[in-house]
Amino acid sequence: MTTTAPTGTTPTSTPAKILYRPVGLASSILGGLLANAIFRRVWQRAAPGEAPDPPRALDSGSSLRTILLAAGLQGAIFAVVKVVIDRGGARAFQRWSGEWPGD
């Protein structure tokens, strides 16, 4: 079975998709760790006050506005890092195998 691939690439074979799964999983884990580190560093610089850690949903000392701001910032950073990691991993796999890992 094959799927459509980005313009200029060949359709993906099932073996290529299977070979890419461990690569995709490992890159997702590393991406999550990287995104978390970036978010913490950004929050430490952007957050007013003495608390270096971002607030959690059940923190009674944080306002809802601050919690929502932290969640939105964290989500945006995670989304951007995920796209960069996923796309870079797919391109590296394509250079190595000659096949796009799939949609």
Side-chain angles (χ1 to χ4, degrees):
M1 179 179 158
T2 60
T3 61
T4 58
T7 306
T9 61
T10 58
T12 306
S13 66
T14 301
K17 286 183 180 182
I18 292 170
L19 285 174
Y20 181 72
R21 283 188 183 173
V23 173
L25 180 62
S27 65
S28 292
I29 292 169
L30 291 174
L33 294 172
L34 177 63
N36 190 41
I38 292 170
F39 169 65
R40 287 191 172 279
R41 188 163 285 189
V42 168
W43 186 258
Q44 287 173 351
R45 291 182 181 229
E50 301 154 6
D53 293 329
R56 289 181 245 144
L58 299 178
D59 284 349
S60 62
S62 298
S63 69
L64 179 60
R65 179 178 179 214
T66 303
I67 292 169
L68 292 175
L69 177 65
L73 179 62
Q74 184 178 29
I77 290 171
F78 269 75
V80 169
V81 169
K82 180 176 176 14
V83 166
V84 169
I85 295 290
D86 287 350
R87 192 68 176 191
R91 291 224 182 260
F93 183 82
Q94 182 185 28
R95 282 191 299 271
W96 174 75
S97 71
E99 293 190 61
W100 186 255
D103 294 318

